[in-house]
């Protein structure tokens, strides 16, 4: 992940794009790319959407949009100093506490304090 972030930063630096890679601009670009991914699925039925990767032309579009979303997310995290994997791990832990598996005991949040 670090290598990809470095490549993206180097790519932008080589083209003089750093002044445009503000948190606001990167958040907007991330949103636009996510919307382009959604657009592929917009009018598909649930069944069609489950088979979208079976057609080479749509599989390619999906992969490209996923790459764009990830690229902008990584650039956003780089600019703000967010470790994307640490942030994800922390969020999963919070969600495990917020949404326990039905029927399993809930961990005591204060047991380690």
């Amino acid at each position: 992940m670090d290598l990809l972030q470095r490549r993206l930063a180097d790519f932008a630096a080589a083209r003089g794009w750093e002044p445009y890679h503000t948190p606001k601009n990167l958040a907007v670009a991330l949103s636009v790319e996510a919307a382009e991914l959604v657009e592929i699925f917009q009018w598909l039925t649930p069944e069609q959407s489950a088979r979208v990767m079976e057609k080479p032309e749509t599989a390619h579009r999906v992969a490209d949009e996923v790459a764009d979303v990830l690229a902008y997310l990584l650039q956003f995290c780089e600019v703000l100093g967010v470790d994307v994997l640490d942030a994800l791990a922390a969020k999963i832990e919070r969600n495990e506490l917020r949404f326990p598996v039905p029927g399993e005991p809930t961990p005591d949040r204060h047991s380690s304090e």
Side-chain angles (χ1 to χ4, degrees), residues 64-94:
D64 274 356
E65 296 308 333
V66 166
D68 288 343
V69 168
L70 183 56
Y72 279 118
L73 179 60
L74 291 175
Q75 290 173 88
F76 179 81
C77 290
E78 176 79 16
V79 166
L80 289 179
V82 174
D83 183 307
V84 68
L85 296 179
D86 285 348
L88 178 57
K91 182 65 175 186
I92 291 169
E93 289 174 18
R94 286 193 305 277

Side-chain angles (χ1 to χ4, degrees), residues 41-58:
F41 294 88
Q42 185 174 10
W43 303 113
L44 300 181
T45 65
E47 296 78 17
Q48 290 169 325
S49 70
R51 295 189 313 271
V52 75
M53 299 305 283
E54 293 174 6
K55 294 182 181 177
E57 63 276 4
T58 47

Side-chain angles (χ1 to χ4, degrees), residues 19-38:
Y20 308 104
H21 284 195
T22 64
K24 180 206 67 93
N25 287 352
L26 291 169
V28 170
L30 175 59
S31 176
V32 169
E33 294 302 337
E36 289 178 4
L37 179 61
V38 170

Side-chain angles (χ1 to χ4, degrees), residues 3 11 13 21 99:
L3 177 62
F11 182 88
H21 284 195
F99 307 104

